[in-house]
Amino acid sequence: MKISHSWLTQYLNVSKTPDEISKILTSIGLEVESLEAKETIKGGLAGVVVGEVLTCEKHPDADKLSLTTVNVGVDQPLSIVCGAPNVAKGQKVLVATVGAKLYFNDQEIVIKKAKLRGQLSEGMICAEDELGLGDSHDGIMVLPADAPVGMPAADYLRIEKDYQYEIGLTPNRIDAASHYGVARDLAAYLTYHESPVKANLPDVSNFKVDNNTLPIPVEVLNTEACPRYCGITINGVKVAPSPEWLQKRLRSIGLNPINNVVDVTNFVLHEVGQPLHAFDADAIKGNKVIVRTMPEGTPFVTLDGVERKLSADDLMICNESEPMCIAGVFGGLHSGVTEKTTKVFLESACFNPVYVRKTGRRHDLHTDASFRFERGTDPNITVWALKRAALLIKEVAGGTISSEIVDVNSGPVNHFEVDFNIHRAWSLIGKQIPEVDIERILEGLEIRVLKKNGQQWLLGVPTYRVDVRREADVVEDILRIYGYNNVEIGAKVNGTLSYTKKPDSLQMQNIVSDYLSSNGFAEIMCNSLTKGGYYEGLATFPEVNSVKILNPLSNELNVLRQTLLFGGLESIQRNINFRNLNLKHYEFGNCYVFKPEVKSQKPLDKYSEHFSIGIWLTGDNIKEHWMTKPERQNFYHLKGYVHSILSRFGFSIDRIEASEAPGDIYAYGLTYKAQGKHLVTYGMVSPEILRQFDIKTEVFFAEIMWLPLMDMIAESKIQYQELPKFPEVRRDLALLIDSSVKYEQIRKLAFETERKLLKSVNLFDVYQGKNIPEGKKSYAISYILQDESKTLTDEQIDRTMKRLIDVYVRELGAQIR
């Protein structure tokens, strides 16, 4: 959102610099993303001065050029070759001196000393268009005789310098989506921190109805969608370009002027945040305005010339026979103000945000008006805005106000009441702000204290603060005006060490986050909305299980995600496109599932969500270095991170059930379960999936199910025991087995065969190739044996290893190498 500094100060008498205001606005939640100096004329005419033509003679070698000497207020007059037909001795003119920069047809021109047909030229006598002051190029600008020689053109022409704030407005702060709204918030800050000051609206007390020659009645058939609708007519207007002051105001925030009537509606919109719409009154058939919905599929041509099919839920502004405008969103092609318009019907309304939002999304229409209506406008400013606009139209376009104000509403809208407790506020803020300070802040925010009962207050919130509906909202308002930086962080932190049966999920997340971040991972946050096409043809995440959005923003965001995988791949794709190739990402997030097979009277029973951790690896694990060779990320790097996380939470990897990961998602990988609950699936992402993202490198992905993890942590019991007094023993086996045999089968058989002495099993080498029969592979496996009550004898060790060999030969057909 763009805010002009000079426009802002029309509503608030403040002497602070733009930079100071920028810092204040950011501190109170209206973050200034940029502050830029703006001039009404690009470059500010720097280097252009008033001059006087002392002599003017024909160029000896060019019929259309003149040789002049011009006094610009320095010791020696300048010699300038001029091609204008109207240049003459004695004229006061505007001269661009050497080094000046002009912007002609958006091209920068730097004035230099030059020779034109052999004659020296030390500047340029300028025409209107060369300076950006107009379109005329018929000749040079001739100034009045009293123009002071040597005066900078910027001073003579009173070129204004302005500053433009680019504010990153958050969705909840629609009350500040205008110059007056920003001024009002700034006044609240200054009132508390410095001295009382108030933002003032322009005076409309001189508004009066001139006659009643053009009454247009209004009928609202859908009061839910339109709780308030106001209108007035203005007769005898002359549509023309706006005066300079109005054009400057609009250009200061990046808007192009259209005509005086439309420009006034845009001006009031950005002045106070109330959208208006001007209709050509002659286009209102039947001389009546009806606010209603139309039958499904009704064709309507909008202002951009596109024919759209209306929904039965689209609120329309109609005449007696046809729709004229999509309420709060976009005007119609045939009812707007044109250069032929002489009668205007001016609309100022309050529309239901839900209706406007759905209509805007349905037709992919997003305007300055819909931006405000979608978030909620103040129903109590509609009449003021109508008066303000009507007076301005009379001022810039003439005419007479030719009807009473029509105000159709569903009843008065009073302030919103909020219960507020001082002690709870202190608890949320983390500091006991004195009550008198809280009252001063509330007063500055125009929030009234209606009643006090000890620490319990009843507050009245103004109608323009549509975002303040809870006690916590009031506390946030108090804190942002008081200043977040004024809440001290104590040097002493109090805490307790305790063990509870149910783990704190957020604390566990922090543990995982700290572990991954300290190992070089970057946390990402992806959109829960994703592309439904990702799930087409998948068995692991069937398309039928996707939660579909009824009114999606686009086909790229039409379902809720079933897995974190695809959002992370989008992030990897973007990074790779920017040549950031070595990536380690993780994300915490919810996934959503629709189960159409569930039979229930409650529709929500068909939907479920689960919280997961996603981990992605791609590129180099070890970068190229003169001492080391680069090493690519691989499956075992990912496996190590997964095992570390599970081990950190007390899971014994040797007691987890492992199976192959789904083949439609992974080229290869593993799924871990414990007590029948799915814990994690990880592996290398299938090339078919990577091709959808144009990713040509290997990507390794793990998804950990958070809730089962938390449940099992809660159920697990911590047991303590002395460190073993007796040594452990390692024995290795080299097994020649069929290629189809998995390591998991070997590991599982080992623990089933020896439950007491066997502590761990580890695969440390796999070989296939020369000297190994086709269809076979060699596994080198280590076994750690330990008896916690005595030292193991060679006889016990040999007996244990023989039992393991026998079971491998019998169950797996293994050969001992």
Side-chain angles (χ1 to χ4, degrees):
M1 180 184 72
K2 293 179 173 60
I3 294 292
S4 158
H5 176 76
S6 63
W7 191 350
L8 177 69
T9 54
Q10 296 297 303
Y11 313 106
L12 185 67
N13 184 17
V14 58
S15 59
K16 294 191 176 296
T17 66
D19 189 58
E20 290 172 330
I21 290 175
S22 174
K23 292 176 182 177
I24 292 172
L25 293 178
T26 298
S27 74
I28 60 177
L30 303 179
E31 182 181 0
V32 177
E33 297 176 341
S34 66
L35 176 62
E36 186 178 354
K38 291 284 185 180
E39 292 125 347
T40 52
I41 295 177
K42 190 173 182 180
L45 299 185
V48 181
V49 297
V50 176
E52 181 180 8
V53 180
L54 301 178
T55 63
C56 181
E57 300 174 355
K58 288 291 182 182
H59 192 294
D61 298 321
D63 293 338
K64 294 183 178 181
L65 296 179
S66 300
L67 301 180
T68 68
T69 55
V70 183
N71 176 18
V72 293
V74 295
D75 294 340
Q76 295 293 326
L78 303 179
S79 298
I80 297 176
V81 178
C82 180
N86 63 329
V87 65
K89 178 181 177 180
Q91 290 175 335
K92 295 291 182 69
V93 293
L94 291 176
V95 179
T97 59
V98 173
K101 294 180 180 180
L102 303 181
Y103 297 88
F104 182 55
N105 292 332
D106 291 327
Q107 298 292 320
E108 182 182 90
I109 300 173
V110 180
I111 304 301
K112 301 177 181 178
K113 282 186 180 181
K115 282 193 174 182
L116 300 177
R117 294 291 182 93
Q119 299 294 324
L120 178 66
S121 185
E122 300 174 295
M124 183 171 79
I125 305 175
C126 302
E128 275 187 9
D129 60 341
E130 292 166 337
L131 296 172
L133 297 172
D135 299 324
S136 173
H137 195 67
D138 296 335
I140 59 171
M141 284 185 65
V142 179
L143 304 179
D146 59 354
V149 172
M151 176 180 278
D155 294 340
Y156 181 78
L157 298 172
R158 297 179 183 179
I159 301 299
E160 295 180 6
K161 187 173 184 179
D162 196 4
Y163 289 87
Q164 185 186 89
Y165 305 92
E166 182 73 44
I167 295 178
L169 194 68
T170 54
N172 63 314
R173 290 304 312 279
I174 196 62
D175 63 288
S178 65
H179 285 76
Y180 177 69
V182 172
R184 187 169 50 200
D185 232 32
L186 184 58
Y189 176 90
L190 296 174
T191 294
Y192 175 71
H193 289 278
E194 297 183 7
S195 58
V197 62
K198 185 175 176 60
N200 295 304
L201 283 170
D203 184 21
V204 295
S205 60
N206 62 338
F207 172 85
K208 66 182 181 66
V209 177
D210 298 311
N211 54 63
N212 280 290
T213 59
L214 190 59
I216 296 181
V218 173
E219 184 179 2
V220 178
L221 300 183
N222 189 333
T223 55
E224 178 192 4
C226 180
R228 190 169 194 179
Y229 191 95
C230 305
I232 199 170
T233 61
I234 306 167
N235 198 357
V237 301
K238 180 175 176 56
V239 177
S242 294
E244 184 180 357
W245 72 265
L246 182 52
Q247 293 195 36
K248 282 183 178 179
R249 283 282 180 253
L250 297 179
R251 287 196 179 102
S252 71
I253 56 172
L255 294 181
N256 291 320
I258 299 172
N259 61 54
N260 45 14
V261 174
V262 175
D263 289 351
V264 164
T265 63
N266 285 331
F267 175 84
V268 175
L269 165 68
H270 290 278
E271 179 178 54
V272 294
Q274 173 60 35
L276 304 170
H277 190 72
F279 295 89
D280 187 330
D282 286 332
I284 303 177
K285 298 178 182 178
N287 203 42
K288 184 177 183 180
V289 170
I290 304 172
V291 184
R292 54 170 296 185
T293 54
M294 299 297 293
E296 185 74 29
T298 300
F300 178 67
V301 181
T302 46
L303 198 57
D304 55 2
V306 177
E307 181 177 286
R308 306 174 191 274
K309 301 296 183 183
L310 300 178
S311 163
D313 294 325
D314 292 335
L315 186 68
M316 304 297 294
I317 312 301
C318 308
N319 55 41
E320 282 200 331
S321 60
E322 61 188 5
M324 300 186 296
C325 172
I326 303 177
V329 180
F330 210 36
L333 182 62
H334 306 298
S335 62
V337 171
T338 68
E339 65 277 2
K340 297 180 181 179
T341 298
T342 58
K343 301 173 184 177
V344 171
F345 176 78
L346 195 60
E347 163 197 289
S348 178
C350 179
F351 298 117
N352 186 311
V354 175
Y355 275 79
V356 176
R357 188 180 309 118
K358 288 183 176 179
T359 295
R361 299 292 184 274
R362 192 178 295 122
H363 297 291
D364 195 23
L365 288 171
H366 308 284
T367 60
D368 284 340
S370 68
F371 175 82
R372 289 157 177 82
F373 280 128
E374 285 179 9
R375 290 157 178 80
T377 57
D378 181 8
N380 287 337
I381 205 172
T382 52
V383 172
W384 183 94
L386 202 62
K387 291 179 178 179
R388 171 71 165 158
L391 289 172
L392 286 174
I393 288 174
K394 281 187 66 176
E395 177 186 334
V396 303
T400 58
I401 297 174
S402 300
S403 73
E404 299 289 341
I405 292 178
V406 178
D407 186 1
V408 181
N409 60 75
S410 52
V413 180
N414 298 319
H415 54 248
F416 189 83
E417 295 184 354
V418 174
D419 290 320
F420 178 77
N421 185 281
I422 290 290
H423 285 301
R424 278 199 299 269
W426 288 341
S427 176
L428 285 171
I429 292 171
K431 180 178 181 177
Q432 291 191 14
I433 300 175
E435 290 187 26
V436 64
D437 285 358
I438 290 178
E439 285 198 72
R440 281 177 58 202
I441 292 171
L442 292 176
E443 181 183 354
L445 290 167
E446 300 182 7
I447 298 176
R448 291 187 293 155
V449 180
L450 304 176
K451 189 187 299 183
K452 282 187 180 181
N453 184 12
Q455 302 301 318
Q456 195 69 35
W457 296 3
L458 181 64
L459 306 179
V461 179
T463 52
Y464 63 80
R465 289 306 304 274
V466 294
D467 61 308
V468 180
R469 290 296 180 265
R470 305 170 302 162
E471 183 180 62
D473 299 328
V474 177
V475 172
E476 180 186 1
D477 257 11
I478 292 170
L479 186 53
R480 66 184 182 82
I481 299 299
Y482 178 76
Y484 292 99
N485 292 336
N486 292 329
V487 178
E488 302 85 359
I489 299 176
K492 179 182 177 183
V493 178
N494 296 321
T496 58
L497 294 175
S498 62
Y499 295 92
T500 59
K501 183 175 181 180
K502 188 170 180 62
D504 184 318
S505 179
L506 183 57
Q507 184 183 18
M508 297 296 109
Q509 288 180 49
N510 287 336
I511 290 173
V512 174
S513 182
D514 288 345
Y515 166 71
L516 292 173
S517 296
S518 63
N519 278 279
F521 282 81
E523 184 173 6
I524 63 174
M525 183 179 292
C526 301
N527 198 337
S528 296
L529 293 172
T530 188
K531 181 180 177 181
Y534 291 152
Y535 299 95
E536 292 178 2
L538 294 183
T540 306
F541 303 107
E543 185 180 7
V544 70
N545 292 138
S546 293
V547 179
K548 297 180 180 178
I549 307 302
L550 294 178
N551 189 20
L553 295 172
S554 69
N555 288 333
E556 304 298 313
L557 300 169
N558 60 347
V559 300
L560 289 172
R561 62 188 177 190
Q562 294 187 56
T563 173
L564 300 178
L565 170 63
F566 299 116
L569 292 180
E570 289 175 349
S571 176
I572 289 172
Q573 177 192 39
R574 181 171 177 80
N575 274 275
I576 289 175
N577 289 343
F578 283 89
R579 305 302 298 164
N580 187 16
L581 306 178
N582 305 315
L583 305 169
K584 297 166 76 173
H585 289 169
Y586 71 95
E587 179 185 15
F588 296 95
N590 281 317
C591 297
Y592 308 86
V593 178
F594 172 63
K595 299 177 180 177
E597 70 277 5
V598 173
K599 306 296 181 184
S600 174
Q601 296 297 321
K602 299 178 181 178
L604 291 181
D605 288 348
K606 294 178 179 288
Y607 298 87
S608 65
E609 63 180 280
H610 61 270
F611 194 69
S612 302
I613 312 171
I615 303 173
W616 295 261
L617 298 176
T618 189
D620 289 341
N621 181 51
I622 298 176
K623 295 182 180 179
E624 187 176 16
H625 188 264
W626 67 274
M627 288 185 64
T628 59
K629 294 181 179 180
E631 180 185 73
R632 302 290 290 175
Q633 298 283 5
N634 60 49
F635 172 81
Y636 296 99
H637 293 134
L638 179 62
K639 181 179 181 181
Y641 293 121
V642 170
H643 282 197
S644 294
I645 291 171
L646 295 178
S647 298
R648 177 65 181 81
F649 291 146
F651 287 91
S652 173
I653 303 301
D654 291 328
R655 306 302 180 190
I656 287 176
E657 305 166 21
S659 59
E660 288 190 38
D664 57 346
I665 300 296
Y666 297 94
Y668 57 85
L670 292 173
T671 294
Y672 287 169
K673 290 184 178 180
Q675 302 174 20
K677 296 180 180 178
H678 179 195
L679 283 182
V680 58
T681 299
Y682 66 96
M684 190 182 94
V685 180
S686 164
E688 287 76 14
I689 288 180
L690 296 180
R691 274 196 288 271
Q692 296 182 50
F693 298 86
D694 196 28
I695 297 175
K696 298 179 176 63
T697 186
E698 293 178 339
V699 176
F700 300 90
F701 170 67
E703 190 160 22
I704 301 173
M705 303 297 110
W706 190 252
L707 185 58
L709 197 65
M710 292 298 99
D711 288 343
M712 280 182 264
I713 292 173
E715 294 169 2
S716 64
K717 294 181 180 180
I718 299 175
Q719 294 182 338
Y720 301 90
Q721 63 183 40
E722 292 184 24
L723 290 173
K725 297 178 180 179
F726 304 98
E728 61 183 29
V729 176
R730 169 174 168 158
R731 290 291 185 268
D732 297 341
L733 285 180
L735 304 178
L736 185 65
I737 57 174
D738 290 340
S739 298
S740 59
V741 176
K742 306 296 184 186
Y743 164 68
E744 175 61 20
Q745 296 172 260
I746 297 172
R747 189 190 67 83
K748 189 175 180 180
L749 272 176
F751 281 108
E752 289 175 352
T753 303
E754 178 52 64
R755 298 178 183 275
K756 181 182 177 182
L757 301 181
L758 185 60
K759 300 302 179 183
S760 67
V761 180
N762 180 53
L763 175 66
F764 64 87
D765 187 46
V766 179
Y767 177 72
Q768 282 180 290
K770 188 177 180 181
N771 299 326
I772 297 293
E774 188 176 349
K776 298 286 186 177
K777 60 185 174 183
S778 174
Y779 274 171
I781 303 173
S782 66
Y783 300 84
I784 302 299
L785 305 174
Q786 186 180 48
D787 189 332
E788 296 176 1
S789 62
K790 61 180 182 295
T791 301
L792 286 172
T793 64
D794 289 341
E795 184 181 348
Q796 286 177 293
I797 297 168
D798 292 342
R799 189 165 56 245
T800 299
M801 295 307 296
K802 185 177 184 306
R803 292 211 321 274
L804 290 174
I805 293 170
D806 290 344
V807 76
Y808 288 153
V809 171
R810 184 174 65 252
E811 299 290 337
L812 302 178
Q815 300 175 36
I816 308 302
R817 299 185 67 199

